[in-house]
Amino acid sequence: MSEFTLWDIVYNLLLAARWTVLLSLTAFVLGGIVGLLLLMVRTAGNPWVMRLVRGYVELFQGTPLLMQLFIVFFGLPLIGIDVSPWIAAMLGLTLFTSAFLTEIWRGCVESIGLGQWEASASLGMNFRQQMRYIILPQALRIAVPPTVGFSVQVVKGTAVASIIGFVELTKAGTMITNATYAPFTVYGCVAVMYFLICFPLSLYARHLEGKLRHVAR
Amino acid sequence: MSLVELHAIHKSFGELEVLKGIDLKIEEGQVIALIGKSGSGKSTLLRTINGLETINDGTIMVAGKKVGDRDTDVLTLRLNVGMVFQQFNLFPHYTALENVMLSPQVVKKQSKAEAKEVAEEMLAKVGLADKMMHYPDQLSGGQQQRVAIARALAMKPRVLLCDEVTSALDPELVNEVLAVVRQLAEEGMTLVMVTHEMRFAREVCDKLVFMDQGRIHESGAPEEVFANPKTSELASFVGGLA
Ligand SMILES: Nc1ncnc2c1ncn2[C@@H]1O[C@H](COP(=O)(O)OP(=O)(O)OP(=O)(O)O)[C@@H](O)[C@H]1O
Ligand SMILES: [Mg+2]
């Protein structure tokens, strides 16, 4: 125990926490892009595509994230694609995020009432103009708080990547515990760091929720 | 030539036939009240005139031209026919002024200055010159409905359709909206309104159209129609109101 000070533990955890943040950001941004694409193909209206996206969403919502990562990490090599833990974690979390975000956003678009479509149509607007000026601006406003709120789930989800050997915060905690034999101290620090990342996000989401003005209720 | 002419309009929702052959002519400057029991098809008829419902059969003519089902035909229809809804349906993310300015700019490609001038004029007309920068959620129901009227008027339609524009309002706010409608009628605006305000209909309209079960049962000058209902349906409808 003598060669590890508390600062050593914290310092090493902080280094690893950068990977947690990077993985979260990557998964969130890529997942957002994929989620937006899914949202667009889904609202475009082909019933087959809609069913396919629906199935995709249900698959990811109905299975543990850990299984999703296992399937990416151990499944891709079976079809001849070798993936590093980083790639596997990123890919798995991106898919996971896209499924949840597309579902959140679909709810936002659908929460814009029929009356908005009809009023804008009665004024002569076409579909593109309705989307551009009426539906999307409102849907985006409504979507921001739950989207920020969901980012907390992504951050916490990255912990699962430790199991396939990606060294982020949780994995680093395990490794440091094995060296220091001080699990309570180490995991206590790990928890504090997750909290310091997630809590501001939750607060921000709540703040945005409160600031949501001039939207249909 | 009538402004709008409906001929043998049929409309079904699935198995349910809601409009069973409607013939109606709307003349320039006419103020028409559409009355009838709940479910008789009044809203559906108005929505048909605005192209919000597709029809199964029949023809709609605007200023002598038949409205087909091409997008440009529907646009032409909507440029001629404005609509005000029971639930106002203002755009909540825009101010009153922006609500009124939007479609002249987007649909009619008016310049911002031009659209603003028209919007200010219309908002002043409905008595809201001092509320232009307010968002819908900062306005009372009566004020919101007046913005909705201004928004429709800014497109300079030749006919304005009003579907129970006071039904969603608290009783004390009804009159301010009716006053605006009355003013429009007096200025010669062509109006078709669905209303349950019988006294108002009687005073303002020059034609009363009574619908029952998807058909126009009777129509004519209000005094006449109210005084001597020719069908038992209208007689009982009028009796039920008293
Ligand atoms: N989108 C729809 N799908 C299925 N049925 C509909 C739809 N819209 C209206 N209907 C039905 O059509 C009939 C006529 O409805 P409509 O709204 O035109 O009546 P209304 O005369 O306006 O009644 P109210 O006075 O209650 O507003 C009703 O039986 C109604 O249930
Ligand atoms: Mg109705």
Side-chain angles (χ1 to χ4, degrees):
Chain A
M1 189 68 209
S2 58
E3 66 265 45
F4 285 98
T5 64
L6 183 63
W7 168 245
D8 288 326
I9 294 173
V10 169
Y11 178 72
N12 282 291
L13 287 177
L14 277 177
L15 291 182
R18 294 179 310 175
W19 288 101
T20 292
V21 171
L22 187 67
L23 181 57
S24 306
L25 275 176
T26 314
F28 192 67
V29 170
L30 295 181
I33 294 170
V34 177
L36 196 61
L37 291 175
L38 290 174
L39 179 71
M40 289 191 321
V41 299
R42 183 181 207 167
T43 40
N46 178 326
W48 263 102
V49 177
M50 271 160 71
R51 229 167 291 161
L52 216 64
V53 176
R54 175 103 219 111
Y56 175 88
V57 169
E58 258 155 24
L59 198 68
F60 282 93
Q61 290 190 335
T63 54
L65 176 58
L66 181 58
M67 292 307 126
Q68 295 161 20
L69 283 195
F70 276 169
I71 285 171
V72 173
F73 188 59
F74 298 113
L76 286 183
L78 291 183
I79 55 168
I81 308 167
D82 255 323
V83 285
S84 64
W86 158 251
I87 296 290
M90 194 182 67
L91 202 60
L93 275 162
T94 295
L95 297 179
F96 165 83
T97 305
S98 70
F100 276 84
L101 284 183
T102 197
E103 187 66 5
I104 290 173
W105 293 341
R106 183 184 63 95
C108 294
V109 169
E110 283 177 4
S111 76
I112 310 297
L114 192 60
Q116 295 287 305
W117 288 96
E118 293 193 335
S120 47
S122 80
L123 291 162
M125 287 188 218
N126 60 32
F127 180 77
R128 205 182 46 76
Q129 293 163 338
Q130 289 176 301
M131 270 294 180
R132 160 105 173 67
Y133 296 103
I134 309 300
I135 306 301
L136 285 183
Q138 294 187 61
L140 280 176
R141 278 174 202 227
I142 302 171
V144 170
T147 302
V148 173
F150 178 72
S151 68
V152 171
Q153 302 305 319
V154 178
V155 174
K156 291 195 283 190
T158 59
V160 167
S162 64
I163 297 182
I164 57 172
F166 179 67
V167 185
E168 39 62 74
L169 192 49
T170 302
K171 178 73 179 173
T174 309
M175 289 158 67
I176 296 170
T177 299
N178 289 341
T180 59
Y181 305 107
F184 184 76
T185 314
V186 176
Y187 286 123
C189 291
V190 169
V192 167
M193 284 183 199
Y194 275 117
F195 187 77
L196 289 179
I197 300 171
C198 293
F199 186 59
L201 288 172
S202 302
L203 272 188
Y204 186 50
R206 213 176 308 153
H207 167 75
L208 290 171
E209 181 85 53
K211 260 187 35 177
L212 205 59
R213 293 174 66 215
H214 312 316
V215 296
R217 314 227 172 236
Chain B
M1 184 172 54
S2 311
L3 206 48
V4 179
E5 219 175 309
L6 305 180
H7 182 63
I9 303 288
H10 287 262
K11 168 70 186 176
S12 302
F13 292 110
E15 293 290 290
L16 180 71
E17 191 173 31
V18 177
L19 300 181
K20 302 170 182 166
I22 300 281
D23 292 295
L24 182 67
K25 284 182 183 168
I26 305 169
E27 310 294 342
E28 187 104 48
Q30 214 170 26
V31 179
I32 300 179
L34 216 52
I35 61 169
K37 281 194 301 237
S38 178
S40 56
K42 305 180 298 291
S43 294
T44 306
L45 178 58
L46 273 202
R47 295 162 56 79
T48 299
I49 304 175
N50 193 234
L52 287 176
E53 302 287 356
T54 55
I55 52 177
N56 301 93
D57 201 10
T59 51
I60 303 177
M61 316 256 283
V62 174
K65 270 208 236 124
K66 184 172 182 282
V67 178
D69 42 17
R70 284 173 316 180
D71 287 352
T72 50
D73 284 7
V74 177
L75 179 61
T76 310
L77 176 69
R78 287 178 177 161
L79 288 177
N80 281 287
V81 181
M83 178 130 179
V84 182
F85 300 84
Q86 189 174 343
Q87 301 294 339
F88 332 137
N89 296 340
L90 290 184
F91 307 133
H93 55 308
Y94 293 129
T95 61
L97 185 65
E98 290 165 342
N99 262 277
V100 182
M101 282 172 67
L102 184 66
S103 24
Q105 281 180 276
V106 167
V107 179
K108 285 187 152 181
K109 313 291 179 208
Q110 287 181 6
S111 74
K112 196 169 177 181
E114 202 180 345
K116 186 156 186 256
E117 197 183 313
V118 175
E120 284 171 349
E121 182 196 331
M122 293 306 160
L123 283 167
K125 190 188 186 75
V126 299
L128 291 173
D130 56 337
K131 302 282 185 208
M132 298 202 212
M133 296 306 160
H134 287 55
Y135 284 88
D137 61 6
Q138 298 166 328
L139 297 172
S140 74
Q143 292 168 337
Q144 290 189 50
Q145 190 60 295
R146 286 186 281 151
V147 174
I149 293 173
R151 180 176 68 177
L153 291 177
M155 291 297 280
K156 304 276 164 81
R158 300 180 67 183
V159 191
L160 189 63
L161 309 175
C162 300
D163 191 359
E164 297 194 39
V165 291
T166 56
S167 294
L169 297 176
D170 293 334
E172 70 271 20
L173 301 176
V174 167
N175 281 332
E176 64 185 57
V177 173
L178 289 185
V180 168
V181 177
R182 184 190 296 267
Q183 185 197 338
L184 290 176
E186 281 163 6
E187 288 172 6
M189 180 84 206
T190 311
L191 291 167
V192 182
M193 54 184 149
V194 174
T195 184
H196 291 299
E197 307 278 340
M198 287 308 146
R199 213 168 56 160
F200 181 75
R202 220 169 179 153
E203 287 167 15
V204 173
C205 300
D206 21 66
K207 184 174 173 183
L208 208 75
V209 173
F210 171 63
M211 283 188 73
D212 192 56
Q213 297 185 20
R215 289 199 176 84
I216 292 182
H217 254 250
E218 269 182 64
S219 67
E223 313 79 45
E224 222 170 285
V225 172
F226 275 123
N228 328 295
K230 291 192 196 64
T231 60
S232 55
E233 284 85 357
L234 179 57
S236 72
F237 180 75
V238 174
L241 293 170

